[in-house]
Amino acid sequence: KTMRNSQVKKQDPVSNVEDQIPLPGMISAKEQYTSSRASAGLEKDFKAMSKTVKEKLEIAAKTDEDESFELEGSWQDFNGVRWSVNHAKLLYIISLYAVPAQSVSEQENWIRHIPLLVLMYEGIISGVLDFDYAPQSVLVSKDGISRRCFMNITQEGKGAIEDLREKNLLHGLKLSSEDFQPVTAYQCTAQGLELVSRIPKHVKKDVDRWIYAPKPYQDNVLKVALKRTQSEEGTDLQTFLLIAEGGYEKPSTVTNVEEVSYVSSPYLPLHLRKSEKPMTNNSSRASEAAAGLSNIRDELQENIHLAHVQVLIGEWCPFGSNQIVSLNERLGAMDRCQGGLFTSKIDHEPTGTQLKVPTGLTKVDVLDFDLVHCINIEAVVSYPEDEGIVQIENFGMHLNVDGTVAYGMKIEAIMERKADDISLDMLSRLLVGVQNDSSTIMNDLASSYQRSILQMIYCGDQMNRSKYSMIIAEAIDPKLNCEEYMDRGDNENEIKQVLGDIYSAHNIGADDVLILGRDGMLFAGPNSRKHEPMLQFYLSLFVREIFVRVFFVRTFVLDDLLKKTRILIVQHERDPNNIPKIRSMLNTASKDMILLQEVLTYLSESLQGMEVPERPQDEAGGTLFKVLNLLNVKRDVSLRVEDLKKLVEGAQHELTNLAAMTDVINTKQLEDVFKNVESNTKFLVDSSASNERASASLEVIQIILGGMFSFDIIDRISGGTMGLSTPWWVEQWINEPIVARIPFLWFAINILWMVLFCYGMIKVMRYFSDLGSGFLTLRVKVNAKISSEKMERFLSDKNIEVTDSLEEQYIAIKKVAWQELDRALWAGGAPPKIEITYDVQYGYLLSVLFYLDRKKSELDEDGLMRIFTATLAEHGVLEDYDPPRSKYAKVAEDVDDFQSSAFKS
């Protein structure tokens, strides 16, 4: 590849000859100088040139030799190993992100495994790295939540990282995420930096033109970030972004899985069948795959091909005899017309005329069944694909009472490749679609109880759960010895695309080979069908091991939840919101605990019922039995299940302890409430006694003030204290006949006047007090479903006096009070004042409070509620509510009459 794009400067060839460096396919500086002189008629021998010119030409020639643009060179030899250019570029990329600290005050820089995989993929599609890639399921963690997704992973790139680590050019750091998923990070060592310093500049420049952001952010290297969104169906969508400081952002296509056109037929091992009913054969339609398209962006380098491939994908799902019987009934196994189209959509209006479901259904045909133990079906997947891509996808499915679920298909063709020439690169892309579609099929067939268990175990990521792939082929090309498939090179990297990390490879007899990986197995040879029962038993054990692995991580998630709950309980007084959080977390933990215990029971029972097949008598079968080590595998899985029981039991004890601690907090809060009530009651009693004493004193003061006022009236009549002369009529009619002649008579008259005045004043005050009594206060707890939108429209016509709202995380309560004005509506009497409390968020009328003057209205409790509910129903606010009838109802019939007349008016 051309690593430098600079051009030869158009300057004087003599004065700048040492600055000119030739590009591949271009003439050197020396040749250019000679040619220029020849064209000018100045051809001379080099010996005749000046000494200075000769020196410059010699320097230019030496520069041509030393700074050649060839990729290969002596710089690749380091530590006794000749490193490839791809190794060097990868090491240089890592050195831009992760180098050791230069002092104690600095921090170590590392680059995580997942972002490095994204960068390697981007380097491949940019033409910088010469690796292959294939889709693979990867667990990605962010913000304490892990989700699986398929990413385009380069196995060659991962192998290059391992090569660098083996020679101590890279450090590897192991740590865990918040949800206890393993995380690996890498750092360039001092020796690695030494090799980086030896890499030619033109090689580094080829990397720099991609690893750095485009203008105007060209000084910043690209970094990787994960963005999670939700689709319209509610599933998580994960997108990796390439970002740089300053605001640059570009989405990566690393999660865009390439699709291929293929044709498949259903397949199930014969020992799983209960009848000889034939399955669909699509071999005649193999040519349709060649007519289809694919969206593969890379040029595939195919090394290994398989012939006549059958794929059996397995997983473990909690099943029981009742679940199998229910599934048989839902699939119509005993009906005349068995099977049909299925979907997981819930019908919320079963009496409606029309039903609409999303595009893409699963057609199921029952092959055979055992009512209590198993069922074998054939599923036809009809999910929409990209334009031009043809996928004829037929599954054979086996669902067993022990929880083993197997999806089988026979590959008839992938693109233009027929059944006898299937490449692993193509097969890896096919398996991605098979795993996704199998999850969707199982979601359609599983009960709601099973879906809830899977959702809990996989923390909401059940649609992307991992499965185990068993690939059986009648031939493999090239046919090599088992060790040659684990060559740490092209063969092993290509097999990793479908099986994951390789554990071991074995020769089974003279013609067959078995390769075991983390995510699957490959058995290739003419005797492959003969060993199906043993291989399928191993698959059923391994899917349990995968489930146990996920279950174990789930116990850590539960334990972390309990630890956070304990911290909140201990610190509950620091934050008033802690108590609701504690209750919510304990509720979640209790629910998870119940499901975990049930799943453990299913898992333990399924292992107890498994019987290891006997060792075959033939040599190849004995070798396979020894390699698979079925007895030890079953024992190991059983031990792990027993260990899980201990973990769950310990978590159950911790949950019980936390519940007891929460009860103590609740009891303490209740005691505080009682103490506050007692204190408030005592305060109210004291206040009441004080009010009584103050009331008596006030009444005495009122009488005294009334007497003084009565005396002032007499004084004002005679003008006594106003500085005026006494009128003649006072002298003639009061002073002379009463005051002057009869002692104390005028005093007695004043006292009598005061008594009469005070008596009348008390009567008037009691009359006004009586006017304030005789009111009816009615509080009704309704809890009826309403339309919040229509309630707002209903209240918009009222003269609202008070509005009070309470909003919390899960609560939105509103209290509204108004005075009714329509006397005709309320039976011709005084309208009541109404106060309602309703839930805005969930649409519920919680309570109604009435204030009614009984002296001016004949309505009773029953009449108030009947009129009010009828009014709400008239406005479409209330839905299906029957108001309670009071035992004190007196005028119910009159209320009905008033209602009808009011609504007519």
Side-chain angles (χ1 to χ4, degrees):
K1 296 180 181 178
T2 301
M3 297 302 174
R4 185 174 297 177
N5 296 322
S6 60
Q7 296 180 354
V8 177
K9 299 177 183 178
K10 296 181 179 179
Q11 297 177 347
D12 180 59
V14 176
S15 60
N16 296 284
V17 69
E18 63 267 56
D19 298 329
Q20 299 181 19
I21 302 175
L23 294 172
M26 300 181 63
I27 61 175
S28 65
K30 180 178 178 180
E31 293 170 340
Q32 184 181 13
Y33 176 72
T34 305
S35 176
S36 300
R37 290 183 60 83
S39 62
L42 301 175
E43 258 184 286
K44 290 185 178 180
D45 190 80
F46 275 97
K47 295 181 180 179
M49 296 180 183
S50 65
K51 183 177 180 182
T52 303
V53 173
K54 290 170 66 176
E55 289 177 353
K56 289 181 178 287
L57 291 176
E58 289 173 358
I59 292 173
K62 185 176 181 181
T63 302
D64 286 343
E65 297 174 0
D66 293 344
E67 297 194 14
S68 173
F69 282 90
E70 295 294 331
L71 293 179
E72 305 294 333
S74 60
W75 63 269
Q76 295 175 265
D77 297 323
F78 186 77
N79 274 6
V81 179
R82 183 170 181 83
W83 299 99
S84 70
V85 177
N86 283 320
H87 282 84
K89 289 181 179 180
L90 183 57
L91 185 63
Y92 174 61
I93 291 172
I94 296 175
S95 69
L96 296 175
Y97 297 89
V99 293
Q102 302 299 317
S103 64
V104 180
S105 59
E106 296 182 4
Q107 289 186 335
E108 299 279 350
N109 292 324
W110 299 80
I111 182 171
R112 295 181 179 87
H113 181 66
I114 298 297
L116 182 57
L117 292 178
V118 177
L119 291 175
M120 286 194 293
Y121 166 78
E122 293 293 333
I124 293 171
I125 63 175
S126 299
V128 176
L129 297 175
D130 188 17
F131 291 142
D132 269 353
Y133 64 82
Q136 188 176 10
S137 178
V138 179
L139 197 62
V140 182
S141 297
K142 181 183 179 183
D143 300 330
I145 300 175
S146 293
R147 293 286 183 268
R148 279 197 173 273
C149 66
F150 282 95
M151 296 174 55
N152 293 316
I153 304 298
T154 167
Q155 297 296 337
E156 294 178 352
K158 291 174 66 177
I161 294 175
E162 293 171 357
D163 295 338
L164 294 171
R165 288 187 63 187
E166 286 182 347
K167 297 302 180 180
N168 200 30
L169 301 183
L170 286 180
H171 283 317
L173 177 66
K174 297 291 184 178
L175 62 159
S176 297
S177 63
E178 294 179 59
D179 56 341
F180 308 100
Q181 299 296 338
V183 178
T184 305
Y186 306 103
Q187 182 189 74
C188 196
T189 65
Q191 292 185 14
L193 292 176
E194 184 179 350
L195 176 57
V196 170
S197 65
R198 301 178 59 176
I199 299 175
K201 291 183 179 180
H202 56 268
V203 176
K204 294 181 179 179
K205 284 185 178 181
D206 189 38
V207 176
D208 291 343
R209 67 178 175 85
W210 154 74
I211 201 67
Y212 283 89
K215 294 182 179 180
Y217 315 98
Q218 65 273 16
D219 295 331
N220 302 314
V221 294
L222 295 175
K223 297 181 179 179
V224 178
L226 178 65
K227 179 181 179 182
R228 279 180 176 163
T229 56
Q230 279 202 337
S231 64
E232 296 180 355
E233 294 80 12
T235 57
D236 288 338
L237 299 178
Q238 302 190 113
T239 305
F240 285 95
L241 302 176
L242 300 177
I243 61 175
E245 294 182 5
Y248 176 78
E249 181 178 300
K250 173 190 173 183
S252 172
T253 57
V254 68
T255 55
N256 295 349
V257 177
E258 300 167 341
E259 294 186 275
V260 293
S261 298
Y262 63 88
V263 175
S264 65
S265 298
Y267 156 75
L268 282 177
L270 293 178
H271 71 281
L272 297 179
R273 296 294 306 275
K274 300 295 180 181
S275 69
E276 297 181 358
K277 181 179 179 180
M279 293 188 288
T280 304
N281 188 350
N282 292 324
S283 58
S284 60
R285 304 179 61 182
S287 58
E288 297 182 29
L293 304 177
S294 73
N295 51 16
I296 297 178
R297 297 180 293 273
D298 191 23
E299 182 178 350
L300 303 181
Q301 299 177 0
E302 301 175 354
N303 297 311
I304 298 178
H305 297 77
L306 304 177
H308 304 290
V309 179
Q310 289 92 24
V311 177
L312 196 65
I313 295 178
E315 67 171 331
W316 191 86
C317 179
F319 263 104
S321 56
N322 290 316
Q323 295 286 349
I324 289 292
V325 172
S326 175
L327 180 61
N328 279 319
E329 292 177 350
R330 285 193 296 117
L331 295 178
M334 294 171 286
D335 297 342
R336 178 179 177 182
C337 297
Q338 299 174 333
L341 295 172
F342 285 84
T343 178
S344 60
K345 179 179 175 62
I346 303 298
D347 190 0
H348 297 287
E349 296 182 5
T351 58
T353 304
Q354 285 187 315
L355 173 67
K356 295 182 179 181
V357 296
T359 305
L361 298 174
T362 303
K363 183 177 182 297
V364 173
D365 292 326
V366 178
L367 297 174
D368 44 59
F369 68 96
D370 184 306
L371 183 61
V372 178
H373 294 92
C374 68
I375 182 172
N376 295 318
I377 60 177
E378 179 182 329
V380 181
V381 179
S382 304
Y383 301 139
E385 304 292 345
D386 293 341
E387 185 177 358
I389 295 180
V390 177
Q391 293 184 353
I392 301 174
E393 194 172 12
N394 287 46
F395 282 102
M397 287 185 63
H398 172 77
L399 300 98
N400 200 289
V401 69
D402 65 2
T404 302
V405 180
Y407 315 87
M409 64 164 45
K410 180 181 179 182
I411 311 302
E412 303 292 354
I414 304 179
M415 301 298 294
E416 70 281 356
R417 306 296 181 85
K418 299 298 183 181
D420 57 352
D421 184 24
I422 302 297
S423 73
L424 290 184
D425 281 305
M426 295 286 191
L427 186 61
S428 65
R429 288 156 174 84
L430 180 146
L431 290 177
V432 173
V434 173
Q435 294 214 15
N436 288 332
D437 293 343
S438 61
S439 296
T440 306
I441 293 174
M442 189 61 197
N443 188 60
D444 292 340
L445 298 180
S447 64
S448 58
Y449 171 72
Q450 291 172 306
R451 288 195 293 268
S452 65
I453 288 179
L454 294 176
Q455 183 179 15
M456 183 274 300
I457 290 292
Y458 292 96
C459 298
D461 195 33
Q462 68 277 7
M463 296 304 294
N464 297 316
R465 58 188 181 271
S466 58
K467 302 181 180 69
Y468 193 77
S469 303
M470 184 175 74
I471 303 172
I472 300 175
E474 294 184 3
I476 182 171
D477 182 32
K479 175 64 176 70
L480 306 172
N481 195 34
C482 60
E483 290 84 1
E484 298 182 64
Y485 291 111
M486 300 183 65
D487 58 352
R488 296 191 176 188
D490 294 339
N491 290 336
E492 183 175 350
N493 290 330
E494 192 157 319
I495 296 174
K496 281 183 177 180
Q497 294 179 359
V498 293
L499 302 185
D501 294 332
I502 306 300
Y503 293 154
S504 61
H506 309 273
N507 291 322
I508 308 299
D511 302 320
D512 303 331
V513 63
L514 173 66
I515 303 175
L516 298 177
R518 184 192 61 186
D519 301 326
M521 70 164 73
L522 170 62
F523 191 97
N527 303 312
S528 57
R529 300 297 295 271
K530 174 183 176 182
H531 303 294
E532 279 182 347
M534 196 181 306
L535 295 174
Q536 191 273 331
F537 186 84
Y538 180 81
L539 179 139
S540 64
L541 281 175
F542 211 88
V543 296
R544 285 167 173 79
E545 194 275 337
I546 293 176
F547 192 86
V548 167
R549 199 186 310 162
V550 178
F551 192 105
F552 180 69
V553 175
R554 188 63 177 82
T555 59
F556 279 100
V557 175
L558 177 61
D559 184 65
D560 183 63
L561 176 63
L562 296 178
K563 288 180 180 178
K564 292 179 180 178
T565 306
R566 176 177 284 275
I567 294 175
L568 289 181
I569 290 175
V570 174
Q571 302 176 354
H572 71 277
E573 295 179 348
R574 298 186 181 182
D575 188 350
N577 296 317
N578 282 348
I579 299 299
K581 290 180 182 178
I582 291 170
R583 291 170 181 164
S584 176
M585 293 169 73
L586 285 178
N587 181 43
T588 302
S590 299
K591 180 181 177 181
D592 293 347
M593 183 65 67
I594 293 171
L595 292 178
L596 288 174
Q597 291 175 339
E598 293 175 355
V599 171
L600 266 183
T601 304
Y602 281 117
L603 193 57
S604 179
E605 291 177 353
S606 70
L607 285 170
Q608 293 174 3
M610 296 185 68
E611 295 182 2
V612 179
E614 296 181 359
R615 179 188 180 99
Q617 299 299 322
D618 60 297
E619 181 180 356
T623 303
L624 180 61
F625 186 87
K626 180 180 178 181
V627 168
L628 295 180
N629 200 11
L630 301 179
L631 288 171
N632 289 336
V633 172
K634 181 186 176 184
R635 186 187 66 247
D636 294 343
V637 175
S638 300
L639 287 175
R640 295 182 65 181
V641 171
E642 292 300 321
D643 182 65
L644 291 178
K645 290 181 180 179
K646 300 173 185 177
L647 294 176
V648 173
E649 185 178 356
Q652 176 64 53
H653 293 324
E654 175 68 6
L655 179 60
T656 304
N657 188 22
L658 294 178
M661 294 174 65
T662 306
D663 291 339
V664 172
I665 295 176
N666 294 334
T667 303
K668 185 178 180 301
Q669 288 186 330
L670 191 59
E671 290 177 355
D672 294 339
V673 170
F674 287 157
K675 289 179 181 179
N676 292 333
V677 170
E678 182 181 3
S679 176
N680 292 335
T681 303
K682 184 178 180 181
F683 175 77
L684 290 176
V685 170
D686 295 340
S687 299
S688 179
S690 176
N691 287 337
E692 289 182 2
R693 292 191 298 269
S695 178
S697 301
L698 180 62
E699 190 171 356
V700 172
I701 293 174
Q702 288 176 343
I703 294 174
I704 294 174
L705 290 176
M708 294 174 65
F709 182 66
S710 65
F711 291 151
D712 287 340
I713 292 175
I714 294 178
D715 290 341
R716 292 300 183 272
I717 291 176
S718 62
T721 59
M722 299 179 64
L724 301 176
S725 59
T726 304
W728 63 269
W729 56 272
V730 172
E731 291 288 341
Q732 184 176 354
W733 293 347
I734 298 176
N735 289 340
E736 294 179 359
I738 299 175
V739 177
R741 293 185 179 181
I742 304 173
F744 300 103
L745 179 58
W746 179 245
F747 175 76
I749 292 174
N750 277 265
I751 295 300
L752 178 61
W753 162 248
M754 181 194 70
V755 171
L756 294 174
F757 184 85
C758 290
Y759 178 78
M761 183 186 66
I762 293 173
K763 285 289 186 180
V764 171
M765 291 174 61
R766 290 179 177 175
Y767 171 75
F768 283 112
S769 177
D770 291 340
L771 291 179
S773 62
F775 277 82
L776 170 65
T777 300
L778 175 63
R779 185 184 300 273
V780 182
K781 188 175 182 181
V782 181
N783 291 340
K785 186 67 177 175
I786 62 170
S787 171
S788 299
E789 182 180 353
K790 293 181 180 179
M791 174 63 83
E792 295 294 335
R793 288 203 298 265
F794 171 75
L795 294 176
S796 64
D797 297 332
K798 304 297 180 182
N799 187 15
I800 305 299
E801 296 180 358
V802 178
T803 300
D804 188 12
S805 297
L806 172 64
E807 293 191 7
E808 296 182 4
Q809 184 175 3
Y810 303 106
I811 300 175
I813 304 298
K814 200 169 186 179
K815 184 183 292 185
V816 180
W818 73 92
Q819 176 66 52
E820 286 287 336
L821 302 176
D822 191 352
R823 299 178 65 91
L825 177 64
W826 297 94
K833 180 180 179 180
I834 303 176
E835 180 182 294
I836 64 171
T837 304
Y838 65 100
D839 191 329
V840 180
Q841 184 171 357
Y842 300 107
Y844 273 91
L845 179 62
L846 303 178
S847 63
V848 183
L849 181 61
F850 296 94
Y851 298 97
L852 178 67
D853 189 353
R854 292 293 298 271
K855 301 186 299 298
K856 299 179 181 180
S857 177
E858 296 182 359
L859 289 176
D860 61 356
E861 294 87 346
D862 182 69
L864 288 172
M865 277 303 297
R866 288 171 62 84
I867 293 177
F868 181 69
T869 53
T871 305
L872 293 181
E874 180 73 13
H875 288 80
V877 177
L878 203 58
E879 302 175 3
D880 300 332
Y881 177 72
D882 185 17
R885 295 185 62 86
S886 171
K887 63 180 180 180
Y888 302 106
K890 299 178 181 178
V891 290
E893 293 80 4
D894 296 337
V895 171
D896 291 336
D897 296 338
F898 274 110
Q899 285 179 356
S900 59
S901 61
F903 288 126
K904 287 179 181 178
S905 63

